[in-house]
Amino acid sequence: MEYIDGKPLKKYENTIIYYDILKESLINAYNLDLKGIFHGQLGRYYHILNSAKGVRFIDFERGVFTENPRNFLQIIGYYLYRDEKFDKKQLIEITSLYKSNKKDALNMILKVIDESKY
Ligand SMILES: Nc1ncnc2c1ncn2[C@@H]1O[C@H](COP(=O)(O)OP(=O)(O)OP(=O)(O)O)[C@@H](O)[C@H]1O
Ligand SMILES: [Mg+2]
């Protein structure tokens, strides 16, 4: 395994790049979902590291191959759903869309995050 020289997501709470890291995490999560790999523990802030090479997920010890990976859904559930900046109804719509159209749901959540920043 490669050592990742990075800082955990937790350290970025209340900083201006927190949502940029979350957006990159959602893109990573989407790509993992397409590969059929479920990390399973992305709700823990310290499994998401921001490094000079970008956002990296670590510790796949509970990871599984599955036809129904929920990386993207878990990140929304753990970080955005409990964030008062976001409308829960809208998040539910996006997670429901994700089941039939992953790409559109990804683009939609990235846009929602961009719009919530200001
Ligand atoms: N910076 C890093 N880069 C790469 N791997 C890391 C880094 N920091 C921790 N790890 C790896 O992440 C894993 C974390 O260790 P471990 O699973 O023991 O702790 P945990 O996930 O906090 O606890 P738990 O037993 O509840 O899963 C280890 O495999 C460790 O090598
Ligand atoms: Mg672990």
Side-chain angles (χ1 to χ4, degrees):
M1 295 284 260
E2 181 195 351
Y3 176 74
I4 307 297
D5 189 9
K7 279 201 299 183
L9 181 59
K10 186 87 186 159
K11 291 250 195 270
Y12 293 92
E13 270 186 314
N14 304 311
T15 72
I16 48 167
I17 64 166
Y18 175 73
Y19 291 106
D20 291 329
I21 297 170
L22 268 188
K23 282 198 302 180
E24 201 178 325
S25 302
L26 284 160
I27 295 168
N28 290 355
Y30 161 84
N31 285 318
L32 264 188
D33 284 348
L34 293 189
K35 289 187 196 311
I37 299 165
F38 181 31
H39 181 289
Q41 296 187 301
L42 292 175
R44 297 190 183 180
Y45 286 94
Y46 56 86
H47 284 147
I48 300 177
L49 297 187
N50 185 45
S51 76
K53 292 182 184 169
V55 174
R56 297 286 185 271
F57 298 154
I58 59 160
D59 191 7
F60 281 74
E61 70 175 347
R62 310 267 157 79
V64 290
F65 290 105
T66 167
E67 280 174 20
N68 185 28
R70 301 171 59 80
N71 301 294
F72 178 92
L73 296 175
Q74 275 203 336
I75 289 180
I76 291 186
Y78 281 109
Y79 303 103
L80 301 182
Y81 201 75
R82 61 167 72 147
D83 186 330
E84 62 191 20
K85 270 202 171 124
F86 297 94
D87 173 23
K88 291 193 177 40
K89 242 180 81 187
Q90 193 176 31
L91 294 178
I92 290 167
E93 272 167 34
I94 293 171
T95 55
S96 152
L97 171 66
Y98 194 71
K99 282 151 205 164
S100 56
N101 189 333
K102 291 186 169 35
K103 189 78 202 236
D104 280 1
L106 172 65
N107 288 329
M108 205 173 277
I109 194 69
L110 297 179
K111 192 160 163 266
V112 165
I113 295 173
D114 279 340
E115 285 165 0
S116 79
K117 277 203 271 193
Y118 308 102

